[in-house]
């Protein structure tokens, strides 16, 4: 392991469990365990997987009218978010591009934020610089675990009775096996499940307790990526970046209806123009028609050989039982069912524009 890589509080446990460690977003993280990516993926869809996502950034934003304050940086409707409600949000730049995607929870007198690992230092600096009258408290002393899968509620309720009453995108405070935790019913796999913010010094204890349940397996980054890709969830840095507007990214729903009228966020004019006039490219699902997966940066061509776009995420979907991908194409080619080619090692491979998600999302909405 490079001396430059950071570790999470579960690093020793990953090694003990036989995790294959790789550099990811500046951290030494497990890409898979002895079970292997495909079985880890299928186990999460069928039962329950435990993910270490402690590399992501957690912070509290405090101060007067904090919901108004964060709305100056994001197009999301945060003021309309119920207490303990969670919203997927976007940090925007003045050009209408996405600096990062993040999760915001309304905790009443403050906000709980979760940002991407690779962006967190820049995000913290951006928020602090633009909201100088508010306090950003970075939670360096907390780990983040994700328990995902159709058995997640049943498992977690054994340790924290009542946690199964949370619904999708809702947070609560629970003692899990006596450990005080912030629990969000959310996740990144398309399955029902939870993200659990836990004190660093209790994280391994909690992980061992959860892994001690028959339904739970440790899951690495490899399966995390194939799970999120099958359900059409974006990976920042691959599917979204500072040159991508929410409308190009097919994230229109992340721009609140009130915010479209009221404005007050960076890039509002660009986003409104994209909504009114359309965009020249769009994020779409792409289904290779053979068995070979197409990886990121694979060129997309029309049937005349003209390059019309690029794949941003691609791989094999174990639940879909075939290759899956997403990427950007010129808008005139974005209709579902459009026949296209993928240029793989110089050869045109047949594919088509596909509806997202590739497998159904199964969030618990009560």
């Amino acid at each position: 392991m490079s001396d430059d890589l950071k570790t999470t509080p579960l690093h020793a446990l990953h090694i003990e469990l036989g995790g294959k460690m790789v550099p990811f977003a500046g951290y030494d993280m497990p890409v898979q365990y002895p079970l292997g990516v495909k079985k880890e993926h299928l186990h999460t869809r069928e039962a329950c997987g435990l993910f270490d996502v402690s590399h992501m950034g957690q912070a509290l934003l405090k101060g007067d009218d904090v919901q108004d304050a964060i709305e100056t940086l994001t197009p999301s409707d945060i003021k309309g978010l119920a207490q303990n409600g969670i919203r997927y949000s976007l940090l925007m730049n003045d050009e209408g591009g996405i600096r990062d995607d993040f999760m915001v929870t309304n905790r009443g007198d403050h906000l709980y934020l979760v940002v991407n690992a690779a962006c967190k230092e820049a995000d913290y600096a951006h928020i602090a610089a633009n909201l100088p009258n508010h306090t950003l408290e970075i939670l360096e002393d907390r780990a983040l675990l994700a328990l995902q899968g159709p058995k997640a509620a049943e498992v977690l309720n054994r340790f924290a009775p009542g946690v199964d009453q949370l619904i999708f995108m809702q947070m609560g405070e629970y003692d899990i096996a006596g450990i005080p935790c912030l629990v969000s019913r959310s996740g990144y796999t398309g399955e029902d499940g939870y993200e659990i913010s836990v004190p660093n010094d209790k994280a391994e204890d909690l992980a061992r307790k959860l892994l001690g349940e028959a339904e739970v397996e440790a899951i690495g980054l490899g399966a995390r990526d194939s799970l999120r890709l099958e359900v059409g969830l974006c990976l920042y840095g691959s599917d979204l970046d500072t040159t991508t507007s929410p409308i190009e990214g097919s994230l229109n729903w992340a721009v609140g209806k009130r915010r479209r009228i009221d404005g007050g966020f960076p890039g509002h004019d660009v986003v409104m123009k994209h909504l009114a006039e359309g965009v020249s490219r769009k994020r779409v699902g792409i289904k290779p028609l053979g068995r070979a997966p197409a990886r990121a940066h694979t060129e997309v061509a029309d049937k005349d050989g003209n390059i019309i776009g690029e794949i941003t995420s691609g791989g094999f979907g174990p639940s879909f039982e075939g290759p899956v991908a997403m990427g950007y194409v010129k808008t005139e080619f974005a209709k579902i069912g459009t026949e296209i080619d993928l240029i793989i090692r110089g050869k045109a491979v047949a594919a088509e524009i596909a509806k997202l998600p590739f497998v159904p999302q199964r969030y618990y909405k009560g």
Side-chain angles (χ1 to χ4, degrees):
M1 185 185 90
S2 166
D3 291 339
D4 295 332
L5 290 177
K6 301 174 186 175
T7 59
T8 74
L10 297 185
H11 189 263
L13 180 60
H14 296 317
I15 302 295
E16 179 184 319
L17 294 174
K20 180 182 178 182
M21 308 302 285
V22 299
F24 181 79
Y27 285 78
D28 194 40
M29 297 293 289
V31 67
Q32 66 178 78
Y33 297 91
L35 192 61
V37 172
K38 181 178 180 181
K39 289 183 178 177
E40 289 174 24
H41 176 116
L42 293 173
H43 184 86
T44 303
R45 290 261 186 262
E46 294 165 1
C48 195
L50 183 68
F51 303 72
D52 179 13
V53 288
S54 304
H55 56 307
M56 300 185 75
Q58 302 177 68
L60 306 181
L61 185 63
K62 299 179 177 178
D64 294 337
D65 301 321
V66 68
Q67 292 85 3
D68 291 272
I70 199 68
E71 284 197 355
T72 64
L73 304 181
T74 175
S76 301
D77 180 1
I78 305 300
K79 288 195 290 188
L81 190 57
Q83 186 157 335
N84 291 320
I86 306 167
R87 186 148 288 160
Y88 172 84
S89 304
L90 306 167
L91 281 174
M92 302 290 293
N93 64 27
D94 291 335
E95 292 72 42
I98 301 170
R99 299 177 60 98
D100 194 9
D101 57 352
F102 69 134
M103 302 295 278
V104 181
T105 304
N106 182 6
R107 298 283 289 158
D109 62 350
H110 68 277
L111 303 175
Y112 168 74
L113 313 178
V114 178
V115 300
N116 282 299
C119 303
K120 62 184 178 183
E121 299 304 332
D123 289 351
Y124 294 154
H126 177 69
I127 293 169
N130 285 278
L131 304 178
N133 296 322
H134 290 73
T135 301
L136 186 68
E137 181 181 331
I138 300 167
L139 302 179
E140 300 282 11
D141 60 345
R142 297 188 77 87
L144 193 64
L145 308 183
L147 188 68
Q148 299 281 294
K151 299 288 187 182
E154 179 182 336
V155 169
L156 200 58
N157 211 51
R158 291 175 198 148
F159 298 95
V163 75
D164 59 340
Q165 298 304 305
L166 286 175
I167 61 172
F168 180 57
M169 299 298 267
Q170 192 177 53
M171 169 179 275
E173 295 181 35
Y174 292 86
D175 278 1
I176 304 177
I179 302 169
C181 297
L182 279 175
V183 180
S184 304
R185 199 154 191 174
S186 61
Y188 194 50
T189 62
E191 296 296 326
D192 183 21
Y194 302 86
E195 292 191 344
I196 306 165
S197 176
V198 54
N200 282 341
D201 61 354
K202 302 293 185 184
E204 183 174 327
D205 182 25
L206 176 58
R208 288 184 184 278
K209 283 185 167 64
L210 295 172
L211 288 169
E213 298 302 298
E215 300 93 336
V216 184
E217 290 283 351
I219 310 296
L221 293 170
R224 186 169 184 255
D225 195 53
S226 58
L227 287 159
R228 69 94 189 165
L229 176 56
E230 279 187 338
V231 292
L233 299 178
C234 295
L235 175 64
Y236 189 82
S238 294
D239 309 303
L240 304 172
D241 61 27
T242 55
T243 69
T244 311
S245 84
I247 313 309
E248 292 171 319
S250 299
L251 298 174
N252 304 34
W253 52 270
V255 182
K257 292 181 180 178
R258 174 177 59 81
R259 306 304 311 285
R260 298 180 187 190
I261 298 170
D262 294 350
F265 60 86
H268 174 260
D269 291 347
V270 175
V271 171
M272 292 308 296
K273 183 177 180 181
H274 283 183
L275 278 169
E277 301 178 5
V279 291
S280 61
R281 60 172 187 150
K282 288 190 70 175
R283 179 175 65 91
V284 294
I286 295 171
K287 180 180 179 298
L289 296 182
R291 295 293 291 174
R295 304 297 179 183
H297 306 301
T298 297
E299 289 182 316
V300 180
D302 65 15
K303 285 299 185 182
D304 294 323
N306 302 303
I307 301 302
I308 58 168
E310 182 182 270
I311 283 179
T312 50
S313 291
F316 188 82
S319 303
F320 186 71
E321 298 183 333
V324 292
M326 66 172 79
Y328 287 81
V329 298
K330 292 181 179 179
T331 302
E332 56 265 39
F333 295 93
K335 185 178 179 182
I336 293 168
T338 301
E339 295 181 352
I340 55 174
D341 284 326
L342 306 176
I343 309 303
I344 300 176
R345 291 186 288 277
K347 295 183 179 179
V349 176
E352 66 180 20
I353 304 300
K355 184 180 179 181
L356 290 174
F358 290 98
V359 301
Q361 298 171 340
R362 300 193 292 185
Y363 306 123
Y364 178 72
K365 298 186 177 179

